[in-house]
Amino acid sequence: MTPGDLPALVARFTAECHAAGLPVGPERAQRLARAVVEVSPATTQRLYWCALATLVSDPAQIPVLDAVFDRVFRGSDPPVFRGDPNAPLLRDDPLVASVARGGEAAGGPARVGGGTSSGSDAAPSEVPVPALASATERLGGREFDALSPVELARLAEAMRALRVATPVRRSRRTRVAAHGDRLDLRRTLRSARRTAGDPVALARRRRRLRPRRLVVLCDISGSMAPYARALIQLLYCAAGAERAEVFTFATRLTRLTRALARSSPAVALDRAARLAPDWSGGTRIGEALHRFNDEYGRRGLARGAVVLILSDGWETSDPQLLRGEMARLRQVAYRIVWANPRTRHPDYRPLAGGMAAAWPYCDEVVSAHSLDALGELVAALAGPRV
């Protein structure tokens, strides 16, 4: 067969297949033509493999293809290809056996190759390929408080794809740089030994850039415990989360940084539930922030850091205490992000006493109520100070 015979060959065969009921369109005809060019079949049985691989999408369609192939090629005179057109197919070939078994499972005859079909006269229809959504797609839009612990664990792989990054700051330490703003006198004099003491080349240094510390304050009261579990899992699944300082609060403040270090998300959640005795308790945001500012703020833990507060803003103590502690935190923190799942509603207004008191001191307020909403949270943590 010459290259000029290919269009006519493919057009005739695919037209016969379409007339017999096979769902063969222009795309499948093009695939068959490409397969013939790549394989260059020298026998009809090799041509049959090309047709089987490109035109059939269901085992039940194999008998129809066999009948059309016999009529178009094996009944042609002279033969279309070199070799014996009636050469028997290799039925013991693993590929043939697997196709045959598929045909039997679909209710069709287990045959591949020559002969006419003895199956039903009805032409098989196109079988749609089922498209199943992944666990991430199914759970991405659901709120964290509606997920079971098993479903929350399934989101760990998707959370690993998120990058929790904070803005960078200039460190006191320096590094070698070709165009640094500081002169490295020691390296300059050392290199001058090779040039008779003349400092021909000036060595320079530049201050290092380091990501800012991330401080997380999670409300673990009854209404916020599911969201706290999801956020803790996010911190220890995403890259760079080992630099985060994690605190939980309900009726008291608990530091979980050391307990959660170098552990898997499942172990981290289990440790957090054991170490925080007030899990699913009441809410005293102002008192928790007061203790944080007194004990850890003076140590410089929040100085220049990005502070993330996860809470719905329901305050059982005096809102004025929360207002004053937020003002103190604002003076030392680089950026304050508040994650409130209730803000997912378009008509939400910060009317609750705690949220109304804290709102003016926040650089950004996000919902972070589901996996799909975590992208907004990650962007807020990486943003500049307002």
Side-chain angles (χ1 to χ4, degrees):
M1 182 185 67
T2 62
D5 299 331
L6 179 60
L9 169 68
V10 173
R12 177 191 171 192
F13 179 55
T14 54
E16 291 287 343
C17 291
H18 183 77
L22 287 177
V24 177
E27 294 183 0
R28 296 194 180 186
Q30 186 179 13
R31 291 205 303 263
L32 174 60
R34 292 179 179 177
V36 172
V37 172
E38 293 292 336
V39 176
S40 298
T43 62
T44 52
Q45 70 181 28
R46 289 184 176 273
L47 176 62
Y48 175 80
W49 298 132
C50 296
L52 182 65
T54 56
L55 302 182
V56 172
S57 60
D58 187 83
Q61 300 171 358
I62 295 177
V64 180
L65 176 69
D66 293 345
V68 177
F69 192 88
D70 288 342
R71 183 170 65 252
V72 174
F73 294 108
R74 294 194 172 94
S76 62
D77 188 23
V80 178
F81 286 86
R82 300 185 305 274
D84 184 7
N86 297 316
L89 296 177
L90 303 177
R91 298 177 181 271
D92 55 347
D93 185 89
L95 177 61
V96 181
S98 63
V99 175
R101 287 193 299 269
E104 291 175 342
R111 63 180 298 275
V112 180
T116 58
S117 173
S118 58
S120 175
D121 295 337
S125 59
E126 178 74 3
V127 179
V129 178
L132 300 179
S134 63
T136 302
E137 293 173 339
R138 294 196 304 270
L139 303 177
R142 295 179 56 186
E143 297 187 18
F144 290 136
D145 60 348
L147 299 180
S148 66
V150 177
E151 292 174 332
L152 187 61
R154 293 176 182 173
L155 298 181
E157 194 65 29
M159 288 180 174
R160 289 190 180 93
L162 296 175
R163 173 66 179 174
V164 178
T166 56
V168 296
R169 63 177 180 84
R170 290 191 302 172
S171 173
R172 293 183 179 179
R173 298 192 177 187
T174 60
R175 64 177 181 86
V176 178
H179 304 285
D181 54 356
R182 294 188 177 187
L183 179 63
D184 190 343
L185 185 59
R186 179 176 298 180
R187 291 184 64 247
T188 300
L189 294 178
R190 189 165 53 246
S191 62
R193 297 176 183 176
R194 298 189 293 267
T195 57
D198 293 330
V200 177
L202 299 180
R204 297 188 175 275
R205 301 186 67 88
R206 174 180 297 174
R207 294 177 67 176
R208 294 178 181 268
L209 296 179
R210 297 179 58 87
R212 295 183 178 274
R213 180 185 294 111
L214 175 63
V215 179
V216 182
L217 302 173
C218 290
D219 184 351
I220 56 174
S221 60
S223 60
M224 292 299 301
Y227 301 99
R229 288 197 300 267
L231 184 59
I232 291 175
Q233 176 170 293
L234 168 66
L235 293 175
Y236 287 89
C237 286
E242 66 274 4
R243 294 187 297 271
E245 290 282 348
V246 181
F247 296 82
T248 60
F249 68 89
T251 57
R252 53 174 294 182
L253 184 70
T254 305
R255 187 179 184 182
L256 301 178
T257 304
R258 294 182 179 179
L260 302 181
R262 297 183 300 275
S263 61
S264 65
V267 176
L269 295 176
D270 183 64
R271 288 181 179 178
R274 293 199 311 265
L275 295 176
D278 56 343
W279 194 282
S280 298
T283 309
R284 297 176 182 175
I285 309 176
E287 295 181 7
L289 281 181
H290 176 73
R291 183 185 173 188
F292 174 80
N293 289 331
D294 285 349
E295 296 187 12
Y296 301 99
R298 292 178 180 178
R299 303 177 189 175
L301 193 63
R303 184 172 300 278
V306 177
V307 179
L308 170 63
I309 303 176
L310 174 68
S311 177
D312 54 6
W314 289 106
E315 174 65 285
T316 58
S317 300
D318 185 6
Q320 295 302 322
L321 175 61
L322 175 59
R323 184 187 302 274
E325 297 303 323
M326 287 293 296
R328 291 179 60 190
L329 184 62
R330 177 67 180 175
Q331 292 178 357
V332 296
Y334 174 80
R335 182 173 173 82
I336 300 179
V337 178
W338 193 296
N340 186 348
R342 299 184 184 276
T343 60
R344 67 186 182 275
H345 301 294
D347 55 346
Y348 174 82
R349 297 294 182 272
L351 302 179
M355 199 67 236
W359 193 283
Y361 302 98
C362 298
D363 292 274
E364 195 162 352
V365 178
V366 297
S367 63
H369 64 283
S370 65
L371 180 64
D372 293 342
L374 289 183
E376 183 181 2
L377 172 61
V378 172
L381 295 177
R385 184 174 185 176
V386 177

